Amino acid sequence: QVQLVESGGGLVQAGGSLRLSCAASGRTFSAYVMGWFRQSPGKEREFVAGIGWSGGTTVYSDSAKGRFTISRDNAKNTVYLQMASLKPEDTAVYYCAANRLKLSQRAGEYDYWGQGTQVTVSS
């Protein structure tokens, strides 16, 4: 089992940058594929980015590609989401998630979730 705690959200102007962090408990962080998802009011939770066990494989949504970078530090049990060129439509609660089996874009395939961190991008 793993517990996840996100941080780094906040209010930023359009065009700005933020780095989100997700700290995981436990000693088996490297056994988990990690993903970032987001959800805004009235919308379904959507995939943003994912990273494989060693960090060698990454996947991005079309909206994140070229602007966001996911990375992980297994020694620190932490996954990051560096976000640049932020747009008002990026406003959402951002969640990190973990699963042991598969680098997936489907929220239902992740077993563990953090509580989320709010990102608000003003125009």
Side-chain angles (χ1 to χ4, degrees), residues 17-96:
S17 300
L18 277 177
R19 188 176 82 155
L20 306 183
S21 299
C22 173
S25 65
R27 294 176 290 178
T28 59
F29 178 68
S30 60
Y32 293 89
V33 165
M34 301 299 297
W36 283 98
F37 291 77
R38 68 187 184 186
Q39 189 168 21
S40 51
K43 294 187 177 181
E44 292 188 356
R45 192 167 297 189
E46 65 171 346
F47 174 81
V48 176
I51 189 166
W53 297 268
S54 65
T57 302
T58 57
V59 179
Y60 296 92
S61 67
D62 287 343
S63 63
K65 207 170 295 182
R67 299 187 301 127
F68 295 0
T69 303
I70 189 171
S71 61
R72 67 188 295 162
D73 186 338
N74 286 345
K76 296 182 178 180
N77 284 11
T78 302
V79 62
Y80 304 97
L81 185 68
Q82 179 69 51
M83 304 186 293
S85 303
L86 283 162
K87 306 174 183 179
E89 50 264 44
D90 294 316
T91 295
V93 177
Y94 283 70
Y95 299 89
C96 70

